[in-house]
Amino acid sequence: MVNNVISESILARAMNKGIVKYHVKNLFDYADLPHKRIDDYPFGGGTGMILKPEPIFKAYNEVLEETFSDSKAKVVFPSPDGSVFNHDKAVELLKADTFIFINGHYKGIDQRIRDELVTDEISIGDYVLTGGELASLVITDSIVRLIPDVLNSYESAETDSFYHSLLDCPHYTRPEIFKGLSVPKILLSGNHKKIDEWKNKERETKTRNRRPDLWEKYKK
Ligand code: ADE
């Protein structure tokens, strides 16, 4: 799943430009013979299997060696009981230059991994996924696109929703009239000052109506 996503689109381009490097590990490669188990039954009973600490610690140490990282790497455990991810968190994470994502299943990872290795427990929303991989990829995508030179100037992250605590304004392209629906006249005026004012007003109106929480933050 992870290799498929990182070999497409902007995540792949960032790698091909030499800006980022991905080291994807399969925990089964770090499990001991003879049974090569990566999970086991929970102490104290309960349903579901728990990921064992040894393969994860081994994989973690190998990634640190491969990336020449010291203990300053951010170690992210995606989990519905982490703090909810947002743009500010992506910017904060970007201060590190190595991210290690440990993909487990909800409840199903030995607590000692969380206590000893994990620096950030992050949820991507109030719903439960079947595993951490999709959440890790969401977080990776949102971080990688903020790294300088990953996006070109047309795709620039600076005009995105959230960049200045506001949602994005509406966008239009050709044709000027589609099914009788016209592009707002102001966008055809060539008056860039007025266009910027219009865009900002649209961003403010959308944010006020849809996201009162962001609106309060913006007004401060
Ligand atoms: N793993 C399972 N559900 C998740 C969620 N909502 N966010 C992050 N990781 C998860």
Side-chain angles (χ1 to χ4, degrees), residues 23-203:
H23 303 246
V24 183
K25 303 295 176 188
N26 182 342
L27 290 178
F28 284 101
D29 295 337
Y30 301 88
D32 288 330
L33 291 167
H35 301 298
K36 285 215 155 223
R37 289 193 79 133
I38 62 164
D39 59 6
D40 213 328
Y41 293 97
F43 279 125
T47 51
M49 302 296 273
I50 309 294
L51 284 181
K52 290 162 66 60
E54 305 95 313
I56 291 183
F57 273 73
K58 274 192 201 154
Y60 167 86
N61 282 327
E62 190 177 290
V63 172
L64 284 190
E65 274 169 29
E66 282 176 10
T67 55
F68 305 105
S69 298
D70 51 24
S71 53
K72 287 198 203 87
K74 285 280 182 190
V75 184
V76 177
F77 176 56
S79 161
D81 53 11
S83 45
V84 179
F85 191 59
N86 60 20
H87 174 78
D88 290 346
K89 185 71 187 175
V91 171
E92 184 207 309
L93 285 177
L94 201 51
K95 290 185 191 136
D97 58 10
T98 302
F99 306 94
I100 301 177
F101 292 91
I102 300 177
N103 297 321
H105 289 236
Y106 186 33
K107 291 199 186 95
I109 129 171
D110 189 285
Q111 182 62 32
R112 288 164 292 189
I113 301 160
R114 295 167 87 155
D115 293 343
E116 293 298 312
L117 301 185
V118 172
T119 61
D120 296 82
E121 299 202 4
I122 300 178
S123 164
I124 61 161
D126 290 340
Y127 44 82
V128 180
L129 302 166
T130 49
E133 295 83 359
L134 288 172
S136 290
L137 288 164
V138 166
I139 298 166
T140 301
D141 187 272
S142 73
I143 294 171
V144 168
R145 66 192 299 287
L146 294 177
I147 302 172
D149 300 328
V150 167
L151 297 185
N152 60 40
S153 55
Y154 293 109
E155 298 158 343
S156 165
E158 281 186 41
T159 56
D160 288 340
S161 285
F162 305 119
Y163 208 92
H164 302 288
S165 298
L166 287 177
L167 300 180
D168 201 4
C169 63
H171 298 278
Y172 297 87
T173 185
R174 272 181 269 275
E176 225 175 282
I177 301 174
F178 174 70
K179 290 186 185 279
L181 303 167
S182 305
V183 169
K185 285 275 167 293
I186 184 77
L187 295 178
L188 311 173
S189 69
N191 184 333
H192 290 289
K193 189 167 170 282
K194 283 253 158 8
I195 292 173
D196 284 346
E197 282 168 11
W198 178 87
K199 285 184 175 174
N200 210 41
K201 209 159 151 267
E202 291 289 324
R203 293 167 67 114

